[in-house]
Protein backbone atom coordinates (compact mmCIF):
# COMPACT_ATOMS: atom_id res chain seq x y z
CA UNK A 1 0.00 0.00 0.00
CA UNK A 2 0.91 3.68 0.08
CA UNK A 3 -0.11 6.98 1.59
CA UNK A 4 -1.80 9.90 -0.16
CA UNK A 5 -1.97 13.37 1.36
CA UNK A 6 -5.37 15.08 1.24
CA UNK A 7 -4.47 18.76 1.19
CA UNK A 8 -7.90 20.25 1.89
CA UNK A 9 -8.79 18.05 4.84
CA UNK A 10 -5.22 17.74 6.11
CA UNK A 11 -5.53 13.97 6.37
CA UNK A 12 -3.18 11.24 5.24
CA UNK A 13 -5.09 8.50 3.45
CA UNK A 14 -3.70 4.97 3.65
CA UNK A 15 -4.37 2.98 0.51
CA UNK A 16 -4.16 -0.76 1.10
CA UNK A 17 -2.44 -3.18 -1.28
CA UNK A 18 -4.77 -3.85 -4.20
CA UNK A 19 -7.08 -1.00 -3.22
CA UNK A 20 -7.80 2.09 -5.34
CA UNK A 21 -7.57 5.62 -3.93
CA UNK A 22 -11.34 5.87 -4.49
CA UNK A 23 -11.97 2.71 -2.47
CA UNK A 24 -9.74 4.02 0.33
CA UNK A 25 -11.71 7.29 0.36
CA UNK A 26 -15.03 5.44 0.59
CA UNK A 27 -13.67 3.15 3.32
CA UNK A 28 -12.84 6.30 5.29
CA UNK A 29 -16.28 7.82 4.68
CA UNK A 30 -14.94 10.64 2.52
CA UNK A 31 -17.49 12.30 0.30
CA UNK A 32 -16.08 11.74 -3.20
CA UNK A 33 -17.86 11.67 -6.55
CA UNK A 34 -17.61 8.60 -8.75
CA UNK A 35 -19.63 6.55 -11.20
CA UNK A 36 -18.07 3.98 -13.56
CA UNK A 37 -15.09 2.96 -11.38
CA UNK A 38 -13.35 1.92 -14.59
CA UNK A 39 -11.62 5.07 -15.75
CA UNK A 40 -14.05 5.96 -18.51
CA UNK A 41 -16.54 8.55 -17.19
CA UNK A 42 -14.33 11.16 -15.48
CA UNK A 43 -16.63 11.56 -12.47
CA UNK A 44 -13.88 10.78 -9.97
CA UNK A 45 -11.45 13.40 -11.32
CA UNK A 46 -9.38 15.06 -8.60
CA UNK A 47 -6.74 17.75 -8.93
CA UNK A 48 -3.19 16.64 -8.19
CA UNK A 49 -1.21 19.25 -6.26
CA UNK A 50 2.06 17.34 -5.96
CA UNK A 51 3.57 14.10 -7.16
CA UNK A 52 3.61 12.02 -10.33
CA UNK A 53 0.69 9.85 -11.44
CA UNK A 54 0.55 6.62 -13.39
CA UNK A 55 -2.59 7.40 -15.39
CA UNK A 56 -4.59 4.26 -16.06
CA UNK A 57 -7.88 5.81 -17.17
CA UNK A 58 -9.16 5.72 -20.75
CA UNK A 59 -9.53 9.52 -20.86
CA UNK A 60 -5.81 10.17 -20.58
CA UNK A 61 -3.82 11.00 -23.71
CA UNK A 62 -0.44 9.33 -23.33
CA UNK A 63 2.46 11.75 -23.49
CA UNK A 64 0.45 14.73 -22.28
CA UNK A 65 0.84 16.44 -18.93
CA UNK A 66 -2.18 17.13 -16.78
CA UNK A 67 -2.82 18.19 -13.21
CA UNK A 68 -5.76 15.88 -12.54
CA UNK A 69 -6.19 12.17 -11.99
CA UNK A 70 -9.02 9.66 -11.93
CA UNK A 71 -8.85 8.18 -8.45
CA UNK A 72 -10.88 5.08 -9.38
CA UNK A 73 -7.99 3.59 -11.31
CA UNK A 74 -4.82 5.70 -11.36
CA UNK A 75 -2.03 5.51 -8.82
CA UNK A 76 1.24 7.17 -7.78
CA UNK A 77 3.99 6.73 -10.36
CA UNK A 78 6.77 6.54 -7.78
CA UNK A 79 7.41 6.38 -4.05
CA UNK A 80 6.91 10.11 -3.43
CA UNK A 81 3.66 11.02 -1.70
CA UNK A 82 0.84 12.27 -3.91
CA UNK A 83 -0.91 15.36 -2.67
CA UNK A 84 -4.54 15.71 -3.80
CA UNK A 85 -6.98 18.62 -3.72
CA UNK A 86 -9.35 16.67 -1.51
FE1 LIG B 1 -15.52 6.94 -13.82
FE2 LIG B 1 -13.40 7.13 -12.21
S1 LIG B 1 -15.45 6.76 -11.66
S2 LIG B 1 -13.49 7.54 -14.33
Amino acid sequence: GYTVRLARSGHDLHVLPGETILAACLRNNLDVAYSCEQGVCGACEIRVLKGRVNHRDALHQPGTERDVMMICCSEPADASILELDL
Side-chain angles (χ1 to χ4, degrees):
Y2 53 90
T3 297
V4 173
R5 187 149 299 145
L6 308 181
R8 260 195 263 172
S9 61
H11 286 125
D12 277 353
L13 179 71
H14 301 290
V15 183
L16 302 174
E19 192 178 47
T20 62
I21 297 175
L22 172 64
C25 287
L26 297 176
R27 181 167 54 74
N28 285 279
N29 298 315
L30 291 166
D31 187 20
V32 286
Y34 67 99
S35 179
C36 72
E37 295 185 71
Q38 295 184 30
V40 294
C41 75
C44 67
E45 177 178 291
I46 297 288
R47 218 151 65 84
V48 179
L49 303 175
K50 238 186 243 173
R52 289 185 54 241
V53 176
N54 181 14
H55 293 288
R56 307 185 70 140
D57 60 281
L59 301 155
H60 183 56
Q61 316 255 306
T64 60
E65 294 278 326
R66 62 180 183 178
D67 63 353
V68 298
M69 73 181 293
M70 304 307 156
I71 60 168
C72 71
C73 59
S74 298
E75 57 192 14
D78 53 39
S80 64
I81 290 185
L82 272 188
E83 202 170 302
L84 302 181
D85 187 19
L86 196 73

